Amino acid sequence: MVVKLGVPSKGRLMEKTFEWFSERGVTLSRAGSEREYSGAVEGIEGVELVLLSASEIPRELAAGRIHMGVTGSDLVRDKLASWDSKVIELAPMGFGHADLIIAVPKAWVDVDTLDDLDAAAAAFRARHGFRLRIATKYHHLIREFLKQNGVADYQLVDSQGATEGTVKNLTAEAVADITTTGETLRANHLKILNCDPVHRSQATLFKSRMAHWTDDTRATLVTLKDMLGLGD
């Protein structure tokens, strides 16, 4: 049995993951054309590369279909309930940095903090008869964050496209999304609330607690962790 390692299948996240492993003596590569989701591993025996979308990797780790995986720490925390009972963080990888934030229209001159947002949400519901809508892909993380900070009278609406455009398109009053520079938010006349980010995300190597670990795969894991400089 081999250790199955899930890695993002395309884009900068895949390239940076390949570089990160290569710098530590493990060469990952695509096998075949870009349309084929198969890969190769050199430098260590007993590891099989599985190319998946970053959003699929948390699910595959939790299902035990892959032993290890690289994905954003935000995705694991949002997609997996009680995530730390299903996976273990082995290493933050130092790239793919982004902050999950909440943003409101710049025109809301009196709304700069979470307390301001709570007051605005209550006033919005009193005025319009329905809760203020926050567009996001990150329902679990945002709901927990707002609950912890005492914000009520809102509803989350799902956004799988350009979240920043939902306010302009009148399908939401605020947004919660990942950002690196904030430029897209500013271009859409939005401002980030003055509070800590909901989550500071980066690419992270995870180990599945749910996968079937044999003596062989455990031995391979020990060798791989040693090569990657991860210790015990």
Side-chain angles (χ1 to χ4, degrees):
M1 188 174 180
V2 298
V3 170
K4 292 187 176 181
L5 169 64
V7 166
S9 58
K10 58 184 177 180
R12 183 167 175 78
L13 202 53
M14 181 189 75
E15 294 168 2
K16 296 296 290 184
T17 299
F18 284 7
E19 288 177 14
W20 190 88
F21 276 88
S22 178
E23 289 167 358
R24 291 157 178 81
V26 180
T27 302
L28 308 180
S29 61
R30 271 187 176 276
S33 71
E34 289 196 4
R35 294 180 180 272
E36 296 179 60
Y37 291 93
S38 59
V41 180
E42 297 177 25
I44 184 172
E45 297 293 328
V47 178
E48 176 184 330
L49 181 61
V50 182
L51 295 173
L52 300 162
S53 72
S55 61
E56 289 176 315
I57 289 173
R59 180 193 67 203
E60 297 302 293
L61 286 165
R65 287 187 287 266
I66 57 176
H67 296 82
M68 303 171 70
V70 174
T71 190
S73 55
D74 58 306
L75 293 174
V76 164
R77 284 163 173 76
D78 191 68
K79 291 182 177 293
L80 302 183
S82 302
W83 66 271
D84 51 355
S85 69
K86 299 179 176 69
V87 300
I88 300 170
E89 281 192 359
L90 291 181
M93 301 173 76
F95 59 88
H97 293 282
D99 291 341
L100 177 56
I101 55 80
I102 298 173
V104 300
K106 286 181 181 177
W108 291 11
V109 294
D110 295 327
V111 180
D112 292 305
T113 67
L114 287 167
D115 287 342
D116 296 338
L117 179 64
D118 185 47
F124 183 92
R125 187 177 186 186
R127 184 179 307 116
H128 298 284
F130 62 94
R131 289 184 172 89
L132 181 146
R133 297 165 297 177
I134 303 175
T136 189
K137 305 177 181 71
Y138 298 90
H139 289 242
H140 176 71
L141 281 172
I142 298 303
R143 188 177 292 110
E144 288 300 308
F145 180 79
L146 293 177
K147 179 181 178 181
Q148 291 168 9
N149 286 278
V151 179
D153 280 331
Y154 70 90
Q155 59 179 313
L156 299 182
V157 293
D158 195 43
S159 170
Q160 295 303 323
T163 303
E164 300 90 346
T166 56
V167 173
K168 181 179 180 181
N169 293 332
L170 305 180
T171 56
E173 285 69 51
V175 304
D177 202 11
I178 284 286
T179 185
T180 52
T181 65
E183 289 183 10
T184 304
L185 293 167
R186 289 189 289 272
N188 283 276
H189 308 290
L190 299 171
K191 62 179 180 179
I192 298 172
L193 289 184
N194 185 20
C195 62
D196 289 336
V198 178
H199 177 66
R200 296 186 188 276
S201 182
Q202 67 174 300
T204 302
L205 177 62
F206 292 92
K207 171 192 171 185
S208 172
R209 294 182 184 270
M210 314 307 290
H212 179 53
W213 290 92
T214 65
D215 289 344
D216 287 344
T217 55
R218 289 192 186 96
T220 299
L221 175 64
V222 170
T223 301
L224 180 59
K225 288 175 68 175
D226 184 59
M227 294 181 68
L228 299 178
L230 302 183
D232 294 332

